[in-house]
Amino acid sequence: MVGVQLVVLGLLAEARMTIKMGRNFRGRASGSIDQPNDLGAFLAMFTAFAAAMFFGIRNFWGRLVLAGAVGAGIFGVMLSVSRGGILALGVALGWVALRSSRMLTILLIAGALTSPAWAPDYLKERIMGTEVATSETDEKELESSSADRVEAWRAIGQLDMDHPIDGGGFCGV
């Protein structure tokens, strides 16, 4: 039980730090982890853990702390604007809801369907935007993080074509 309490305490501490520090000059919170995507993954993972623990605790004060931790974790993930963190949080909370509570499942579905109405503009732009306009022409190109991902997948595809049976190994070819 002490391990559960320490995990929730860590979630609360990081969520509090993220909320306190807010978004930085690039429009993304990085918390004490100092990297928005890593922060989003951390908060998503332990927010889902706290949500799962909520249904196993019968103590009112324990449930209140867990509910606060889940709320703070969700808010922290939204501040990090990590697309992977948001997706992981949605899938994990959806799984917890499906396994634990019909009402929570309905609330999550309603929240997802109404998110265009309540989500802040910076979050909607980050989720929907993978293109940026170039200053020299009117053409659009992929933002740097999306372009890096496309290039990584191209390299992986080329590696698979070059070595279809034995692969590249741990250290590469």
Side-chain angles (χ1 to χ4, degrees):
M1 192 61 172
V2 173
V4 171
Q5 293 168 343
L6 291 175
V7 168
V8 173
L9 182 64
L11 169 63
L12 281 169
E14 186 58 44
R16 181 183 180 277
M17 179 64 70
T18 301
I19 293 167
K20 180 180 178 190
M21 292 174 68
R23 293 173 37 222
N24 59 22
F25 65 93
R26 294 186 67 204
R28 300 180 71 189
S30 55
S32 66
I33 294 176
D34 204 30
Q35 208 292 334
N37 292 326
D38 292 344
L39 173 69
F42 175 87
L43 291 174
M45 183 170 42
F46 291 111
T47 299
F49 175 83
M53 292 296 103
F54 179 85
F55 296 100
I57 302 291
R58 298 290 171 227
N59 181 329
F60 172 77
W61 295 109
R63 280 187 156 205
L64 187 64
V65 169
L66 286 169
V70 169
I74 290 170
F75 190 65
V77 171
M78 296 304 165
L79 285 175
S80 76
V81 198
S82 168
R83 293 177 286 211
I86 293 167
L87 180 63
L89 182 63
V91 169
L93 287 180
W95 179 253
V96 169
L98 282 171
R99 301 275 303 166
S100 305
S101 169
R102 287 186 190 146
M103 182 58 77
L104 182 58
T105 304
I106 292 168
L107 287 174
L108 282 176
I109 292 171
L113 291 176
T114 61
S115 63
W118 57 261
D121 289 338
Y122 67 86
L123 186 61
K124 290 187 273 190
E125 287 173 15
R126 173 79 176 151
I127 291 172
M128 299 302 292
T130 57
E131 297 178 339
V132 292
T134 60
S135 57
E136 300 87 32
T137 65
D138 290 338
E139 295 179 9
K140 291 186 175 185
E141 62 185 29
L142 287 175
E143 68 170 335
S144 64
S145 65
S146 296
D148 291 344
R149 287 184 189 101
V150 168
E151 189 55 39
W153 281 104
R154 275 194 193 131
I156 290 169
Q158 186 61 45
L159 183 66
D160 285 346
M161 286 191 300
D162 292 345
H163 304 278
I165 296 183
D166 60 349
F170 182 69
C171 295
V173 177

